[in-house]
């Protein structure tokens, strides 16, 4: 089995060293390099082209959003897409959470995430799925409801939370989600389990499973996390 090649861009030295050491101890994972700034991190990603880039959004010279955008623009799109991006952000900084989401990273983690969950997110992201922390999903959902679709990560850059693939949009237009499916989807985005959704909507667990399966099918999503990301990007929840 080929190792998952990981690059870490994180300015806090103890966090970066600890993450590097812990990941290198895992079977099947190889940390190919780590840097503390966006400029050096960009050079690292361009030279190593890792499978996974773990990027802190709050870097000292430029933010992680700039780094990801510059990396993807500097390479042929097919080559850049081979590197999946896990964005680390602080739960307290809502504007940066929104900016990270809008930048189109593959997965989104809060910086207080436990290592076991970080490892889970890394493997899920490497498999081509999305991983989004429920805390981040709640922030994006709140701002979507408030109509705050545009956020400014810095004074020179504006990014917009949108959108989904045209093919997915056409599928949804032909077979839109029902009101009940939208209710279930909103609770999925907020991180509720099937049992909790059943209790909140006064449904049987079997009915909830049917609705969840319908939501995943209509969104062409392979799991609940991917469905949540697609729903937020498509503005399906008001």
């Amino acid at each position: 089995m080929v190792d998952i090649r990981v690059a870490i861009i994180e300015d806090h030295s103890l966090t970066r060293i600890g993450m590097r050491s812990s990941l290198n101890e895992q079977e099947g994972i190889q940390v190919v390099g780590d840097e503390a700034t966006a400029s050096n991190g960009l050079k690292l990603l361009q030279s190593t082209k890792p499978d996974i880039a773990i990027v802190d959004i709050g870097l000292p010279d430029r933010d992680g959003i700039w780094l990801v955008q510059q990396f993807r623009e500097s390479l042929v799109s097919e080559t850049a897409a081979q590197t999946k991006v896990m964005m680390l952000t602080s739960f307290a900084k809502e504007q940066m959470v929104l900016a990270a989401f809008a930048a189109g990273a593959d997965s989104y983690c809060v910086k207080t995430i436990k290592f076991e969950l970080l490892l889970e997110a890394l493997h899920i992201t490497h498999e081509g799925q999305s991983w989004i922390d429920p805390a981040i999903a709640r922030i994006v959902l709140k701002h979507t409801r408030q109509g705050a679709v545009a956020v400014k990560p810095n004074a020179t850059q504006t990014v917009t939370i949108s959108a989904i693939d045209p093919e997915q949009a056409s599928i949804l237009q032909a077979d839109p989600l029902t009101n009940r499916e939208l209710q279930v989807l909103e609770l999925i985005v907020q991180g509720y389990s099937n049992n909790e959704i059943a209790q909140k909507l006064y449904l049987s667990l079997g009915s909830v499973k049917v609705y969840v399966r319908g939501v995943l099918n209509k969104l062409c999503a392979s799991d609940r996390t991917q469905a949540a990301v697609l729903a937020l990007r498509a503005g399906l929840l008001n």
Side-chain angles (χ1 to χ4, degrees):
M1 181 182 294
V2 179
D3 287 350
I4 301 174
R5 301 170 63 254
V6 179
I8 303 169
I9 297 92
E10 161 66 60
D11 66 316
H12 192 278
S13 58
L14 288 179
T15 300
R16 186 177 69 256
I17 293 169
M19 194 182 304
R20 180 183 65 201
S21 176
S22 297
L23 287 175
N24 272 330
E25 290 176 357
Q26 301 299 311
E27 185 177 354
I29 296 178
Q30 175 193 3
V31 177
V32 297
D34 62 272
E35 291 291 351
T37 65
S39 56
N40 288 338
L42 177 59
K43 295 175 183 177
L44 174 64
L45 296 188
Q46 289 171 331
S47 62
T48 61
K49 300 179 181 64
D51 299 310
I52 301 286
I54 301 177
V55 180
D56 179 12
I57 197 171
L59 297 169
D61 50 346
R62 302 292 294 269
D63 60 46
I65 298 167
W66 175 88
L67 188 161
V68 172
Q69 291 174 335
Q70 290 295 310
F71 170 64
R72 288 181 168 164
E73 290 174 4
S74 68
L75 300 175
V76 178
S77 58
E78 292 80 3
T79 302
Q82 292 174 6
T83 296
K84 305 296 183 183
V85 176
M86 290 174 53
M87 191 76 79
L88 295 178
T89 186
S90 169
F91 175 64
K93 299 177 181 177
E94 292 196 4
Q95 287 299 99
M96 298 306 282
V97 168
L98 294 170
F101 188 84
D106 298 284
S107 292
Y108 311 85
C109 306
V110 292
K111 293 195 70 172
T112 54
I113 188 172
K114 294 181 179 179
F115 179 73
E116 293 78 11
L117 281 179
L118 178 71
L119 194 60
E120 175 185 329
L122 188 149
H123 282 288
I124 288 174
T125 304
H126 182 251
E127 291 168 1
Q129 312 297 329
S130 295
W131 197 99
I132 181 170
D133 191 284
I136 294 176
R138 284 192 288 270
I139 289 176
V140 178
L141 176 59
K142 182 184 77 173
H143 281 259
T144 299
R145 284 175 167 169
Q146 293 173 349
V149 296
V151 293
K152 295 182 178 180
N154 55 51
T156 61
Q157 180 186 38
T158 300
V159 287
T160 303
I161 297 177
S162 65
I164 59 174
D165 184 273
E167 183 177 353
Q168 291 173 320
S170 64
I171 292 173
L172 272 176
Q173 187 174 11
D175 189 15
L177 297 175
T178 66
N179 288 335
R180 181 63 85 182
E181 286 172 338
L182 286 170
Q183 290 177 324
V184 170
L185 176 59
E186 178 173 343
L187 294 175
I188 288 174
V189 168
Q190 294 182 49
Y192 288 104
S193 67
N194 283 354
N195 282 324
E196 291 169 329
I197 293 173
Q199 293 173 9
K200 284 186 170 294
L201 298 181
Y202 303 101
L203 295 170
S204 69
L205 181 58
S207 295
V208 170
K209 289 180 178 178
V210 170
Y211 285 123
V212 170
R213 187 161 53 248
V215 167
L216 296 182
N217 288 339
K218 289 182 179 181
L219 290 176
C220 301
S222 58
D223 58 31
R224 298 160 69 93
T225 300
Q226 190 177 34
V229 172
L230 289 169
L232 292 169
R233 289 198 178 282
L236 292 176
L237 303 174
N238 299 315

